[in-house]
Amino acid sequence: MDYAIGDVQGCFDSLQKLLKKIHFNAECDRLFFLGDVVNRGNKSLEALRFIKSLKDNAQMVLGNHDFHLLVCALTPHQPNRKDTFHDILNAPDKNSLLDYLLTRPLLIEHNNALLVHAGIPPQWDKASALQQSKLVESHLQSGAIEKFLSVMYGNEPAKESDCLNEEEVCRYAINAMMRMRFCKEDGELEFEHKMDADEAPSGFKAWFMHENRALKNTDVLFGHWSTLNNISVERIHPLDHGCVWGEKLSALNLETHQLTSVRSIEVS
Ligand SMILES: [Mn+2]
């Protein structure tokens, strides 16, 4: 069976509890992690090592916390007080764990569904989304990684049409696929608000609520937005159920569409 799993954020013990509940078999089942496998929780190192150890039976897209770990590990940028991935930064296998993250995509296509950490802006069809993901991936795997990572932080350009060069195109793509919650129909991003989807700032909507969204007829599975409540939008599958905040970790069976959740067991 194939399963998509929401934001683990270092909650390794809850992940093991969830895998027990779905009777996960590492020989034949496959896990698709929706990003943010590390940070904020108490066992980022165990979580990342475990996912890497599953080899081809686990795949993951990069989330903003995974990306933040790369920036802190590979540029002079310092972790902040809330970051809990020092175990990875101090691990003897740090380099192979970082290499693992550097070779992860921003977007996975699986049986006509798209898996992404935050979302896909309304103006992108499948080909554009895959193209933007590949562009960032090519930079993550290039030799000039420190230079690339050190210019990827920042909220601008908010609009795709304002991107003047490849650096800005990549920054927009990273912000859209790893951080976006609210945007305008043309994909203009907004990062001040983190509340529920029906409390959008003026002029903005949750990215999946735009009427003319190009991917309306494609299943999109995503994490990142743990405060989303009771979303009922066709083909939209939010799977960050707030495990690191003491709520739930969930797995969606990609064949039967059955959802299995466990209550978080981490001390928050
Ligand atoms: Mn996130």
Side-chain angles (χ1 to χ4, degrees), residues 180-203:
M180 172 175 67
R181 288 187 179 88
F182 297 105
C183 68
K184 290 188 177 169
E185 190 173 274
D186 66 356
E188 180 179 340
L189 305 170
E190 199 273 353
F191 291 114
E192 296 301 309
H193 294 81
K194 291 187 169 189
M195 67 286 270
D196 202 1
D198 55 6
E199 297 169 61
S202 167

Side-chain angles (χ1 to χ4, degrees), residues 110-158:
H110 177 71
N111 294 343
N112 296 321
L114 293 174
L115 283 62
V116 66
H117 180 60
I120 300 170
Q123 77 277 19
W124 287 359
D125 59 14
K126 190 183 286 188
S128 318
L130 286 166
Q131 187 191 7
Q132 299 299 317
S133 168
K134 291 220 155 55
L135 176 68
V136 174
E137 287 152 42
S138 72
H139 282 278
L140 292 176
Q141 289 157 40
S142 80
I145 187 63
E146 178 180 343
K147 186 167 175 281
F148 177 72
L149 290 175
S150 62
V151 293
M152 282 304 111
Y153 270 172
N155 293 343
E156 303 291 333

Side-chain angles (χ1 to χ4, degrees), residues 49-222:
R49 270 185 187 155
F50 172 73
I51 291 167
K52 179 172 176 279
S53 77
L54 295 173
K55 304 212 165 86
D56 290 344
N57 283 354
Q59 296 184 41
M60 64 171 277
V61 293
L62 287 175
N64 54 302
H65 284 288
D66 312 309
F67 192 77
H68 182 56
L69 166 63
L70 288 171
V71 171
C72 292
L74 299 169
T75 78
H77 190 95
Q78 292 296 309
N80 61 52
R81 270 191 312 120
K82 290 183 185 165
D83 291 332
T84 61
F85 46 56
H86 293 85
D87 49 359
I88 297 176
L89 297 175
N90 296 320
D93 52 344
K94 173 179 101 169
N95 289 341
S96 73
L97 294 168
L98 296 176
D99 283 345
Y100 179 75
L101 290 180
L102 287 171
T103 51
R104 298 307 102 188
L106 277 65
L107 185 71
I108 291 174
E109 185 179 13
H110 177 71
N111 294 343
N112 296 321
L114 293 174
L115 283 62
V116 66
H117 180 60
I120 300 170
Q123 77 277 19
W124 287 359
D125 59 14
K126 190 183 286 188
S128 318
L130 286 166
Q131 187 191 7
Q132 299 299 317
S133 168
K134 291 220 155 55
L135 176 68
V136 174
E137 287 152 42
S138 72
H139 282 278
L140 292 176
Q141 289 157 40
S142 80
I145 187 63
E146 178 180 343
K147 186 167 175 281
F148 177 72
L149 290 175
S150 62
V151 293
M152 282 304 111
Y153 270 172
N155 293 343
E156 303 291 333
K159 278 186 186 179
E160 193 174 24
S161 57
D162 288 344
C163 294
L164 297 176
N165 51 43
E166 191 158 308
E167 178 184 314
E168 295 189 347
V169 170
C170 287
R171 199 181 308 121
Y172 176 86
I174 286 170
N175 284 336
M177 287 188 272
M178 291 187 203
R179 296 177 62 209
M180 172 175 67
R181 288 187 179 88
F182 297 105
C183 68
K184 290 188 177 169
E185 190 173 274
D186 66 356
E188 180 179 340
L189 305 170
E190 199 273 353
F191 291 114
E192 296 301 309
H193 294 81
K194 291 187 169 189
M195 67 286 270
D196 202 1
D198 55 6
E199 297 169 61
S202 167
F204 292 83
K205 287 182 181 176
W207 63 268
F208 49 80
M209 297 292 278
H210 289 284
E211 285 300 314
N212 297 317
R213 203 164 52 83
L215 283 167
K216 243 180 151 174
N217 298 316
T218 302
D219 283 302
V220 181
L221 285 67
F222 64 104

